Amino acid sequence: MISKKLNKAELKTLLSFIEKKGHPYVDVQLEILDHFACKVEDLMGSNQQMKLSEAMDKAYSSFGIYGFSEIADSYGWGLNRKFLHKLPAELWKYMKGWYSIIFIIYFSLFGYFVPADRTPFWDGFILGAVVILILMTLVYIFKYRPIYNKYMLYRGYLGLMIPLMSGSSVLLMSGWIGEILPVNIYHFFVFLVTYFSYALLTIFERNLKSIVNRVDEMELETYYS
């Protein structure tokens, strides 16, 4: 069997084929392309007379009734596992930073000097913390966007981090928690949730910027190389 290597024009034809099969995300297309191109090259290498379109159809049929879906699903689950696996290390890195120490000292002094029974003040503090968290999340989403927003890597990250930070906001705004906990413990709970909420926000901003830079490079390499 003669070895066959697809050129850039042929690889782009394969990418177009993959997209037409219902896989719009660029990074998913590239993941599928690794498997798809190998099968197409094997078919065309074993039969020199076979056209690219015929090889693509035969190669696609070999993936079974689900087509490329199993590869796409596996890629998506792999991203989620990777994000969740890295989260504890990211939190630990945040906790060791100088800004984290300043945050802890500031709110420790804040909690010490502000009377525990000033309920309206604490309600305002909680509301302010939640509003800032939501606004900064929106700022980062609009600030760091890929060129075409067609990446599972980008959307998958938003799909994990936004629920985490939304959950933090819900915890802060949950009045029933303050009703079942002693006042001092409740205020410590508020500080703790606020601390980890802004830790998540910092992680969100740093990783989102990194992801967008990476996928923009992927876009340029894929379509403009």
Side-chain angles (χ1 to χ4, degrees), residues 6 13 29 39 57 61 68 75 77 87 89 128-129 132 146 153 158 166 192 194-195 202:
L6 299 175
T13 301
Q29 292 173 11
K39 293 194 175 187
D57 289 335
S61 299
F68 302 130
Y75 177 75
W77 281 110
L87 188 56
I132 291 173
L153 179 64
L158 294 184
S166 298
L192 195 64
T194 302
Y195 173 79
T202 302

Side-chain angles (χ1 to χ4, degrees), residues 23-70:
H23 302 282
Y25 297 121
V26 175
D27 48 345
V28 175
Q29 292 173 11
L30 294 176
E31 182 71 15
I32 294 171
L33 183 64
D34 287 340
H35 303 270
F36 189 37
C38 286
K39 293 194 175 187
V40 170
E41 287 173 346
D42 287 344
L43 287 168
M44 295 183 72
S46 60
N47 183 354
Q48 297 295 304
Q49 305 304 316
M50 184 177 292
K51 295 182 179 180
L52 179 62
S53 58
E54 183 183 355
M56 286 193 299
D57 289 335
K58 287 189 175 182
Y60 181 70
S61 299
S62 70
F63 286 94
I65 59 174
Y66 297 107
F68 302 130
S69 296
E70 291 185 0

